Amino acid sequence: MSDVRMRPIERKQYFMETVSLEDIVTEDDPVRAIWAFVEKLDLTAYYNKIKSKVNEAGSPAYNPKVLLAMWIYAYSQGISSAREVEKLSQEMKTWRWLCGDQPINYHTLSDFRVGHKEELDELFTNSLGVLSAEGLITLERITQDGTKIRANAGIDTFRGEEKLRAHLKAAREQVESLSNPESEPATKRISKARARAVAERCQKLEQAVQEYEKLKQNKKQKENIRVSTTDPDSRVMKQSNGGYNPSYNAQIAVDTANKIIVGKHTTSNCEDTKELKPMIEGINEKLGKYPEQVITDGGYNTYPNIVMAAEKDIDLIAGERGNNNVSGQQYQKRGVTKEFESEAFKYDEDSHDMICPEGKTLKFDSKEELPGRTNFKYRAKAEDCNKCPSKHKCCPKTTKKGRSVIRKEYHKDIIEFQEKMQTEEAKLIYKKRGENAEFVNACIKEKFKLRQFCLRGIRKVDIEVTFAAFAYNIMRWFRLRWYPALG
């Protein structure tokens, strides 16, 4: 090898080069699409909050357009840390181009993200108007689905009432001790940091106690209530893998024409049953009309939702609701055997009475109007039940009153919905749900890496969901409008 001649490698040499910031990013880079889209939006609400004015003392403010674009780009890249965004804005070409090669402190980035929720929500609405004007939103058919995203809290932070109040008492005592002038001396900076940390913990614990009281009013089994001391708004929810973790339920509505997110909100509610109406109302508020058709899974298939959709002239396509067999468990608890469940009692249309399997009559007792159905209650005479040879199978625990049963009459909207869902056309439409709603949820979790929130509290985690929805929609706009326009 000694006689081989090669070019030397010298990495310690110095050189100078002149590069235009505009030239370091290619014309078809997605970061340019994000900036182009943000420039279409009305940021007046952001500008109105800027305190720095011309001919007045103080440093000039960062342009909200830059900060907004940086966070949208960050979430599109699966980044939710303000420190990471600050680092990238100084090192990576696309980030340097986006921020105009101006270093931006992570405190500024963090404060901007959490300090403008109302403005961000309004801007998301504004962005839907832009997408609608470009023909990407039709509202002819939308799908809605919820996805559980882990909270920034550990399962071991959940406490019952006794421990919550004990921790709160200790935190308040610590606040008082720090304010004592005779307490352990420390530097001014350390003292402020300690006081701020203890005050924040005290505030979280106070919120946790309030959240516990709220849950206690709604839950029947009060002894099982637990609240997180670090993120009181979060709830332990079942995950897709069968495990349980502190989480939030992110609701996403997608227009199937171009897979654009047209609605989003975040809730602490584990179930989806009550999330359809607020989503539909939110879409109407943002876009000025209700969707023509909505596709959901069985979690939204409830009588109130069916009636609500019918009242708003929305064609609801929903999967079959799962059977948790609550009524079967109730029968078992009361000692009622299968042959004496309510379905075994027959309604006599002539007498308007119910007839039990032993031939005894149950007279009308009361009526209850519920969304989508009316419950008619019938009750047998106590003497008939007490003398009945099948009492031990039908109503073994009833002595002073006779057996009662409920007959349900479903409203027209419910009957029409159930008949529609038996048709082949409705079944074929329902099959399209997965490729839309579930596709978007998977994209947000897998591509944007939003499997766990960086922030805490339902207000702040909804900001993260909004940025993820923003990023997703702009990426769709990039593929469908901006990139093809480059030729």
Side-chain angles (χ1 to χ4, degrees):
M1 294 289 290
S2 60
D3 58 343
V4 177
R5 187 181 180 191
M6 294 180 289
R7 293 180 182 274
I9 299 173
E10 179 56 60
R11 294 193 176 94
K12 294 183 179 180
Q13 58 185 314
Y14 293 89
F15 65 93
M16 293 179 65
E17 62 178 346
T18 303
V19 180
S20 168
L21 194 62
E22 188 65 24
D23 294 336
I24 66 176
V25 175
T26 60
E27 289 296 324
D28 59 351
D29 195 293
V31 74
R32 288 184 179 270
I34 290 174
W35 181 254
F37 191 90
V38 169
E39 284 200 308
K40 292 174 176 283
L41 304 176
D42 181 7
L43 273 69
T44 302
Y46 285 89
Y47 295 135
N48 289 339
K49 294 181 75 173
I50 295 176
K51 296 180 180 179
S52 179
K53 303 297 180 182
V54 178
N55 299 324
E56 291 185 7
S59 301
Y62 286 101
N63 192 329
K65 193 181 296 184
V66 173
L67 298 172
L68 179 71
M70 289 181 72
W71 273 120
I72 293 174
Y73 186 49
Y75 277 89
S76 75
Q77 301 296 304
I79 299 166
S80 57
S81 166
R83 291 178 184 270
E84 183 69 13
V85 173
E86 178 191 8
K87 181 182 177 183
L88 290 170
S89 67
Q90 299 171 11
E91 298 176 355
M92 303 298 291
K93 291 181 178 180
T94 52
W95 287 93
R96 288 173 59 197
W97 178 89
L98 188 58
C99 67
D101 209 18
Q102 299 179 56
I104 301 179
N105 184 276
Y106 75 90
H107 280 298
T108 301
L109 289 162
S110 180
D111 291 344
F112 177 83
R113 175 169 55 173
V114 301
H116 302 274
K117 185 182 188 314
E118 290 73 19
E119 290 81 4
L120 182 65
D121 287 337
E122 186 62 32
L123 206 61
F124 182 72
T125 302
N126 182 218
S127 73
L128 295 181
V130 172
L131 294 169
S132 181
E134 297 200 15
L136 295 177
I137 296 175
T138 66
L139 291 188
E140 292 177 2
R141 175 183 292 167
I142 72 163
T143 61
Q144 181 176 345
D145 195 19
T147 184
K148 308 298 191 300
I149 300 178
R150 287 194 61 175
N152 189 4
I155 193 75
D156 57 343
T157 64
F158 282 74
R159 301 284 186 270
E161 182 179 20
E162 185 177 344
K163 289 190 175 180
L164 283 175
R165 295 191 182 279
H167 284 307
L168 178 58
K169 181 181 177 182
R172 285 173 174 168
E173 290 174 352
Q174 194 172 2
V175 169
E176 291 179 5
S177 67
L178 287 174
S179 61
N180 186 352
E182 298 181 0
S183 60
E184 181 183 350
T187 65
K188 189 175 181 180
R189 181 179 177 183
I190 293 174
S191 297
K192 284 186 175 181
R194 284 179 182 173
R196 184 169 60 250
V198 173
E200 287 177 358
R201 175 164 173 74
C202 192
Q203 183 182 9
K204 287 285 185 185
L205 287 167
E206 287 175 349
Q207 185 184 349
V209 171
Q210 291 172 6
E211 199 67 26
Y212 180 90
E213 293 296 333
K214 189 194 303 181
L215 290 173
K216 190 166 70 172
Q217 293 176 3
N218 299 328
K219 272 206 171 187
K220 295 180 180 178
Q221 296 180 334
K222 297 179 175 54
E223 67 276 6
N224 294 328
I225 299 175
R226 297 288 186 273
V227 177
S228 172
T229 56
T230 55
D231 190 355
D233 290 334
S234 66
R235 300 287 182 271
V236 177
M237 300 183 185
K238 188 175 182 180
Q239 308 297 306
S240 57
N241 61 2
Y244 290 84
N245 283 305
S247 306
Y248 288 93
N249 185 354
Q251 294 286 318
I252 304 291
V254 180
D255 188 303
T256 63
N258 292 290
K259 291 185 173 67
I260 298 291
I261 296 175
V262 293
K264 56 83 206 169
H265 67 262
T266 314
T267 175
S268 297
N269 193 354
C270 305
E271 298 181 351
D272 296 330
T273 54
K274 296 181 180 179
E275 305 308 322
L276 181 61
K277 184 176 181 180
M279 180 67 78
I280 297 300
E281 295 293 353
I283 291 173
N284 178 55
E285 184 179 340
K286 290 180 177 69
L287 293 165
K289 65 176 181 177
Y290 292 106
E292 297 175 21
Q293 187 179 76
V294 179
I295 310 175
T296 67
D297 63 21
Y300 303 85
N301 187 350
T302 63
Y303 297 147
N305 284 342
I306 295 170
V307 173
M308 180 273 297
E311 289 174 348
K312 300 182 186 305
D313 198 25
I314 297 172
D315 181 21
L316 179 64
I317 304 292
E320 186 176 353
R321 185 161 181 78
N323 182 17
N324 55 13
N325 198 28
V326 173
S327 59
Q329 295 171 5
Q330 291 295 325
Y331 284 132
Q332 189 176 13
K333 186 177 179 180
R334 287 156 46 196
V336 180
T337 59
K338 184 71 177 177
E339 60 269 29
F340 286 94
E341 292 181 1
S342 295
E343 290 75 11
F345 290 68
K346 305 300 180 184
Y347 177 63
D348 189 328
E349 294 186 0
D350 295 329
S351 64
H352 301 291
D353 297 327
M354 295 291 286
I355 309 300
C356 79
E358 290 289 351
K360 298 297 182 180
T361 300
L362 287 79
K363 294 290 186 180
F364 173 76
D365 182 75
S366 60
K367 181 175 74 171
E368 181 183 19
E369 293 285 351
L370 297 171
R373 73 176 190 271
T374 303
N375 288 346
F376 296 90
K377 187 176 181 180
Y378 300 83
R379 188 178 293 278
K381 294 179 179 179
E383 55 265 31
D384 288 343
C385 290
N386 290 329
K387 294 177 182 178
C388 180
S390 299
K391 184 179 186 305
H392 64 288
K393 298 179 181 180
C394 180
C395 50
K397 297 182 180 181
T398 303
T399 55
K400 297 182 179 179
K401 291 184 178 181
R403 169 69 187 274
S404 66
V405 295
I406 301 293
R407 179 176 66 86
K408 300 175 183 178
E409 278 191 6
Y410 295 100
H411 296 183
K412 178 175 67 71
D413 296 333
I414 306 299
I415 296 172
E416 290 178 353
F417 170 81
Q418 292 172 340
E419 291 175 349
K420 175 183 68 179
M421 289 310 302
Q422 297 304 313
T423 64
E424 288 301 318
E425 180 184 3
K427 291 177 182 178
L428 288 172
I429 294 173
Y430 181 70
K431 287 182 179 179
K432 299 181 182 294
R433 185 189 69 86
E435 67 188 57
N436 291 283
E438 291 184 359
F439 166 81
V440 175
N441 287 343
C443 180
I444 289 174
K445 278 188 167 182
E446 300 303 321
K447 187 173 181 180
F448 295 174
K449 299 182 177 63
L450 191 58
R451 303 186 191 95
Q452 181 171 5
F453 290 113
C454 175
L455 305 176
R456 290 172 175 166
I458 194 164
R459 176 184 170 84
K460 291 182 180 180
V461 300
D462 190 59
I463 290 173
E464 292 202 70
V465 171
T466 306
F467 272 116
F470 237 132
Y472 170 85
N473 279 353
I474 294 178
M475 289 299 98
R476 291 297 297 167
W477 178 77
F478 167 77
R479 293 181 180 89
L480 297 170
R481 291 289 185 269
W482 192 82
Y483 186 75
L486 294 177

